[in-house]
Amino acid sequence: MDKSLPGFTDRERQPTTSSSCSRSFFSRLVAWFATAVWRTRVDWRDKRPLLIRATAHLTVVILALTAIVLSGVAVHVPQIAARGSSDSNAISSAVTDHSADEATSLSGSVAATNVRQSRSTDADTITRQAVLHTTFPDRPRAEVVTYTVKEGDNISTIAYQHDLLPETIVWSNREAIQDAPWLIQPGLQLFILPVDGVYHTVSAGETVAGIASEYDVEPSAIYNQWNDLEEGDELFEGQLLVIPGGVGWDITWNPPQPEPTQSGYGYRYSASSVNAPSANNWFILPTGHTLVSGWYFRDPRNPGHIGLDYKCRLGDPLYAADNGAVTIAGWHGGYGILVEVDHGNGFITRYGHLSQLLVGGGQAVRQGDVIGYCGNTGWSTGPHLHYEIRKNGVPQDPMAYQP
């Protein structure tokens, strides 16, 4: 192009660069801004209300966004620690996906909920501490249990093991102990009540009111968690009842004063010191017959009974069931006048309620020897023989050994 053409200057004929373009754009922007400011000044009175409203709305938006940011910092951070990053991401996405107004409402409710949960979590963390030793409240057992007497046991030690009074052990086992607690032997099984009181075996014709009066308790005490009994139910013979707080009979804790015999003094004599004949290992009938007048062994009407009540008339002779040594001869609690014979083979026999003795402690006897006479002494309601067989201390059913 000819450089002499009119309308072209030297600057316009030079190539256009990026810097010159930028300066040109900036110049036009400044000119536009100055013109806008000038126009605003010219008609300020007309545009002022519009600008005030715009400024107010902008302020509200800025405050809302500020509240969202602050609530996210103060509340969501603890929730991340307590619930994990997944919950935090879910809340953050819910806030950012809504408009400013919806976000404001959502953030307010979420913030309030999370603050309450955060405070609850913090309180639990502080107050709920591990309990190293759990304490269980003392509760009575749900049922009556049995205990087998061991070597070295006595009534007091058994009661202590089960947190009961010694009287409760005796009152719960009258048939087995026969009011002679010093005679218990290893192998004997005893009822153990869940609470202190009396274990009563119902006899024919007894009533709840009568039993309660006998043991000095209210009738309501008999309707308890251990007895299968409700008000209005009739009692039956042989029913076993736990009487909590019941008071039984007076107990003699010590053996009777020993009486002199040909072998010395004592309520129980050692069979090993007696020159007795060896046992035949079979038994004869102690009354000479098989008639029974009272309770059988473990009679359903009296489950605690561990002997057999043979029929006999007052003064009838009673016989040693086998060879052996007399280890007891005298008065012993509920047995009345008692004879015990150790046969030297693990078996002993007992003869209770006698009216008169013909043997003494420490004396040897042979099978069939008369050891005394039928009586009604001790815990007895009429003349009969209470007969027991024990093997290594464990009561046996005498009928199983009848000839």
Side-chain angles (χ1 to χ4, degrees):
M1 182 177 294
D2 188 359
K3 295 181 181 180
S4 62
L5 290 175
F8 287 92
T9 64
D10 294 339
R11 179 176 296 180
E12 289 174 338
R13 286 193 291 265
Q14 294 177 356
T16 303
T17 62
S18 60
S19 60
S20 63
C21 292
S22 297
R23 285 194 297 268
S24 177
F25 175 77
F26 181 74
S27 300
R28 288 196 298 272
L29 180 62
V30 171
W32 177 85
F33 184 75
T35 303
V37 171
W38 174 256
R39 290 178 180 175
T40 301
R41 281 188 65 188
V42 172
D43 53 358
W44 169 251
R45 294 181 182 275
D46 296 333
K47 299 183 181 293
R48 184 171 56 181
L50 178 61
L51 293 175
I52 292 174
R53 288 196 296 271
T55 304
H57 286 296
L58 181 61
T59 302
V60 171
V61 172
I62 293 173
L63 291 176
L65 294 175
T66 303
I68 294 173
V69 173
L70 293 178
S71 64
V73 172
V75 178
H76 295 313
V77 171
Q79 290 300 311
I80 292 173
R83 297 188 174 184
S85 59
S86 59
D87 290 347
S88 177
N89 293 335
I91 295 175
S92 299
S93 61
V95 172
T96 55
D97 289 344
H98 289 73
S99 64
D101 292 337
E102 293 173 337
T104 302
S105 175
L106 177 62
S107 65
S109 60
V110 171
T113 302
N114 289 341
V115 166
R116 288 194 296 269
Q117 293 177 348
S118 178
R119 289 176 180 173
S120 176
T121 304
D122 294 341
D124 293 345
T125 304
I126 293 173
T127 58
R128 295 182 182 176
Q129 299 179 0
V131 180
L132 299 181
H133 301 284
T134 301
T135 301
F136 294 95
D138 292 333
R139 297 188 181 93
R141 291 190 311 276
E143 58 186 359
V144 178
V145 298
T146 57
Y147 175 79
T148 302
V149 178
K150 300 179 177 59
E151 191 71 38
D153 279 343
N154 58 49
I155 297 298
S156 295
T157 60
I158 295 171
Y160 180 79
Q161 291 175 39
H162 296 90
D163 196 24
L164 297 171
L165 295 174
E167 289 83 357
T168 296
I169 303 299
V170 177
W171 292 337
S172 304
N173 299 277
R174 191 172 193 183
E175 288 287 355
I177 296 176
Q178 290 286 325
D179 297 342
W182 56 88
L183 290 183
I184 63 170
Q185 292 178 300
L188 180 65
Q189 282 194 335
L190 301 176
F191 293 119
I192 305 297
L193 297 191
V195 292
D196 280 312
V198 180
Y199 203 30
H200 177 79
T201 302
V202 177
S203 299
E206 284 192 305
T207 64
V208 170
I211 296 171
S213 177
E214 178 181 354
Y215 297 117
D216 195 24
V217 298
E218 294 294 328
S220 59
I222 298 178
Y223 300 105
N224 55 59
Q225 59 183 308
W226 303 287
N227 299 332
D228 186 17
L229 186 66
E230 296 182 358
E231 291 192 36
D233 291 349
E234 293 186 2
L235 303 179
F236 58 87
E237 187 177 11
Q239 187 174 6
L240 295 172
L241 299 176
V242 176
I243 317 295
V247 178
W249 51 93
D250 292 336
I251 300 172
T252 301
W253 293 104
N254 298 314
Q257 291 295 321
E259 297 179 358
T261 67
Q262 61 185 14
S263 300
Y265 292 84
Y267 78 87
R268 178 177 243 141
Y269 298 85
S270 172
S272 60
S273 63
V274 180
N275 186 20
S278 299
N280 293 319
N281 296 318
W282 56 276
F283 298 112
I284 65 170
L285 293 169
T287 56
H289 59 75
T290 60
L291 299 178
V292 177
S293 65
W295 307 117
Y296 289 85
F297 180 81
R298 302 293 188 194
D299 197 305
R301 301 167 297 168
N302 191 3
H305 194 258
I306 57 173
L308 183 64
D309 291 342
Y310 278 113
K311 183 177 182 179
C312 60
R313 296 171 297 183
L314 187 65
D316 283 351
L318 303 175
Y319 310 100
D322 198 1
N323 300 337
V326 177
T327 50
I328 293 177
W331 185 279
H332 280 276
Y335 286 103
I337 297 176
L338 172 70
V339 172
E340 180 184 88
V341 178
D342 189 334
H343 302 286
N345 57 358
F347 285 93
I348 67 168
T349 51
R350 285 183 178 177
Y351 313 78
H353 308 313
L354 276 63
S355 60
Q356 184 180 350
L357 288 173
L358 293 182
V359 295
Q363 179 180 337
V365 293
R366 290 186 175 275
Q367 189 179 62
D369 286 351
V370 177
I371 57 175
Y373 299 106
C374 179
N376 188 32
T377 58
W379 186 25
S380 173
T381 57
H384 71 282
L385 171 66
H386 175 82
Y387 177 62
E388 293 181 13
I389 299 177
R390 300 194 183 196
K391 181 178 181 181
N392 298 322
V394 180
Q396 308 291 311
D397 184 356
M399 295 192 71
Y401 294 86
Q402 286 182 351

